[in-house]
Amino acid sequence: MGPSTLRKTSGIIFAALAAALLLAGWISAHDKSWVVPAEARKVKNPVAPNADNLAAARATFMDKCASCHGDKGAGDGPEAEMYDPAPANFTDAHMMSEMTDGEIFWKMTEGRKPMPSFKTQLTDEQRWQLVNFLRTLAPKPPSHPAHGTPPPKKSGGN
């Protein structure tokens, strides 16, 4: 094999490797799934929400989370536009109803780019308190029928 053929073959190999690396990077950057292990999804929150720990969690949220997730948790914080994937919108009732407490806890514990892991920044109790706080951000479904069934008629009297 002559120097010209070797150079040509090296160029093709280099181009193929560069294309493969670019494709792998693109796939990684555009992978929107965040798969949580089944065992983690099943973990129950050991911290019952109460006024004190919800207030503590709100303070933690404002300090650690609001810059990306926004003051009200809508994923619209001042730094949100810098990130892909975008920060989660905790006011999305459908999304929040689909996630278990264990899943939320695992995601904030482990993190994934661009979200950092809070495993060493926050205690387990603080992260569970945050799970409870995040649950307060999504609107609750109405407790009465959506298309109002008329109330039952009163018996007797008027």
Side-chain angles (χ1 to χ4, degrees):
M1 204 173 353
S4 174
T5 306
L6 186 57
R7 213 177 356 250
K8 191 176 187 181
T9 304
S10 296
I12 291 170
I13 291 172
F14 177 77
L17 286 173
L21 287 172
L22 285 171
L23 180 61
W26 185 87
I27 289 170
S28 174
H30 291 86
D31 178 13
K32 303 297 185 210
S33 63
W34 194 353
V35 179
V36 175
E39 316 81 63
R41 290 182 54 84
K42 294 176 188 172
V43 176
K44 301 296 180 203
N45 188 338
V47 177
N50 63 44
D52 289 340
N53 66 38
L54 286 173
R58 182 176 190 341
T60 300
F61 180 85
M62 296 306 291
D63 180 48
K64 303 285 187 188
C65 313
S67 62
C68 295
H69 293 282
D71 290 351
K72 296 185 183 340
D76 60 353
E79 296 179 16
E81 288 185 13
M82 296 186 326
Y83 299 112
D84 182 25
N89 175 358
F90 300 120
T91 66
D92 179 338
H94 177 73
M95 180 193 77
M96 292 302 287
S97 71
E98 295 283 316
M99 286 198 296
T100 67
D101 285 358
E103 183 175 0
I104 297 168
F105 180 84
W106 187 88
K107 287 180 175 184
M108 72 174 72
T109 298
E110 298 302 321
R112 74 155 186 189
K113 289 189 178 195
M115 183 174 151
S117 162
F118 286 97
K119 187 184 300 187
T120 60
Q121 294 182 39
L122 301 172
T123 66
D124 285 359
E125 183 173 9
Q126 287 174 310
R127 293 192 313 274
W128 283 119
Q129 288 173 350
L130 269 172
V131 170
N132 290 331
F133 174 73
L134 295 179
R135 293 278 183 214
T136 70
L137 300 177
K140 306 294 179 263
S143 58
H144 51 78
H147 295 290
T149 307
K153 293 187 178 189
K154 295 180 183 177
S155 57
N158 299 343

